[in-house]
Amino acid sequence: MTTAPAHPPHLRDFYENPAVPVASGAPRSRRQARMLAAALGPAAGGARTVLDVGCGDGTAAATAAPFLRGHRVIGVDWSQDALARARTRMPYAVRGELTGGGLPLRTACADAVLFSEVIEHLVDPDAALAEIRRVLRPGGHLMLSTPNLAAWYNRALLMAGVQPVFSEVSLRAVHGRPGREVVGHLRLYTARALREFVAASGFEVVRLAGAPFHGVPRPLRPLDRLACARPPLASILLLHARRA
């Protein structure tokens, strides 16, 4: 779920809790994996190295595996508990941190980085993207996903004076917004902000897409899927960029 260790101990303990939700659902993982598979091409042209940075328990990598057959997927996370679970779902998983000493990987070693549902948990996202850029080869792919602050329902909630979904004011309880799960989000992005931030970090944005969120109430899920056609309104932002 997160690879940022430079937090107070209580926040680190929060992320070590296996009960904390780790992803926005399989539909997001599948859409992101399809985007990555299209960018990498078939493994017959040569196996590529994909780093799943912030792999958590390996669920997202397992969902993506059928789309990435023949490519080498390596999970990276700072949580020993998460890595123990990830190793039951993926062949390679190593401990690493985006901040502090950086990832235990050589420069330009990866063809692609999956960065799923991580950036919203980071204290220092600038340092994180700099480290990801370091381990990517020139022209390498970044596949980033994150909740959308300006999702269609958040726009309505804000107009009604309600705290947006995905936002957090406490690690102990939900206050002022729909939902019951505390997930530890520190930062949220709109489509425009995410594009600008990634471009300023030394990447060329290739594509921005949308994905649905499994936490949307069932009667509203058709609307949520429809909103994916307009990424700035979608629940989840899927961004494909290349290292410039």
Side-chain angles (χ1 to χ4, degrees), residues 49-115:
T49 297
V50 179
L51 302 178
D52 184 359
V53 176
C55 65
D57 65 3
T59 299
T63 302
F67 302 95
L68 302 173
R69 294 189 190 280
H71 295 301
R72 184 184 306 105
V73 181
I74 301 171
V76 185
D77 207 286
W78 65 267
S79 168
Q80 294 287 14
D81 177 73
L83 288 172
R85 288 178 286 153
R87 288 174 182 134
T88 68
R89 296 185 173 98
M90 56 195 309
Y92 309 105
V94 300
R95 189 175 189 280
E97 302 177 348
L98 281 168
T99 55
L103 298 173
L105 301 164
R106 71 179 189 276
T107 297
C109 67
D111 297 287
V113 167
L114 272 172
F115 201 43

Side-chain angles (χ1 to χ4, degrees), residues 12 16 30 35 40 72 89 111 115 128 156 177 243:
R12 183 186 281 269
E16 286 279 9
R30 286 193 292 267
M35 289 172 66
L40 292 177
R72 184 184 306 105
R89 296 185 173 98
D111 297 287
F115 201 43
R177 69 160 171 83
R243 178 187 163 184

Side-chain angles (χ1 to χ4, degrees), residues 172-196:
R172 298 178 182 178
V174 170
H175 299 290
R177 69 160 171 83
R180 290 176 290 180
E181 295 179 330
V182 179
V183 293
H185 291 171
L186 304 181
R187 300 181 182 278
L188 287 175
Y189 299 80
T190 65
R192 177 176 177 177
L194 187 64
R195 278 180 175 273
E196 290 184 5

Side-chain angles (χ1 to χ4, degrees), residues 113-189:
V113 167
L114 272 172
F115 201 43
S116 306
E117 318 285 315
V118 176
I119 197 168
E120 62 271 18
H121 299 274
L122 300 181
V123 171
D124 189 353
D126 301 87
L129 284 194
E131 181 64 1
I132 287 173
R133 189 174 186 277
R134 181 188 71 80
V135 299
L136 275 174
R137 65 171 177 80
H141 304 278
L142 169 63
M143 294 288 174
L144 184 157
S145 66
T146 191
N148 182 10
L149 174 61
W152 60 277
Y153 41 82
N154 279 346
R155 298 181 185 218
L157 289 172
L158 277 170
M159 289 180 66
V162 178
Q163 187 82 10
V165 175
F166 308 124
S167 64
E168 305 274 62
V169 300
S170 170
L171 291 180
R172 298 178 182 178
V174 170
H175 299 290
R177 69 160 171 83
R180 290 176 290 180
E181 295 179 330
V182 179
V183 293
H185 291 171
L186 304 181
R187 300 181 182 278
L188 287 175
Y189 299 80

